[in-house]
Amino acid sequence: MPITVEFFVAPDDVTAAGTGPRYRDHGLPAVVFEGFFPDEAVLEWESLFTGKPINRIAESEPRMVVPMANDGFEVFEVGPPLRTLLAGAGALRLGEIADRWAALESRADDEVSSEEAAGILEAVGALAREAVRAGRGLYCWYFAP
């Protein structure tokens, strides 16, 4: 069974914690994907945008809302720095980051092509713009059975 990933916009942690694979009809702006670990991806994206090493970013990001337990489910907030970078990036910049992300050696276990990576970053970028515009958070849940 593949990894299921949902990025979404929510007003707060309590609302975000109430989402997940059993609560998909939450009515929040969201996009769903499969096949990659988003908690690793957001660190890689921020590193690619900023040039900072992943281990420095990982000291504070992503902030867990519902930590992973034995059920394979987790909810986290995409940090404000990355949310702002995604919201402000144009299609050209997102495409560049997508190509670099798809090419990373750490992506060997995930099956995301350059084209899929571009679609993911464009969709998450659109959600980030909506989150910034509405003064809300950008969150993600994933289920890795």
Side-chain angles (χ1 to χ4, degrees), residues 25-106:
D25 294 329
H26 47 64
L28 301 168
V31 291
V32 177
F33 306 104
E34 290 185 348
F36 67 97
F37 288 97
D39 52 348
E40 295 172 8
V42 296
L43 297 174
E44 293 167 342
W45 297 344
E46 189 167 339
S47 178
L48 292 168
F49 268 110
T50 65
K52 292 180 187 174
I54 289 175
N55 61 348
R56 267 194 49 220
I57 297 165
E59 292 172 1
S60 60
E61 299 292 340
R63 186 178 64 77
M64 295 300 145
V65 175
V66 177
M68 176 82 61
N70 292 335
D71 61 0
F73 172 73
E74 174 178 293
V75 179
F76 63 88
E77 181 184 23
V78 175
L82 180 56
R83 182 183 64 217
T84 301
L85 289 165
L86 287 165
L92 195 58
R93 180 72 170 139
L94 289 172
E96 172 193 316
I97 296 296
D99 286 343
R100 292 173 55 205
W101 176 50
L104 289 175
E105 285 184 35
S106 61

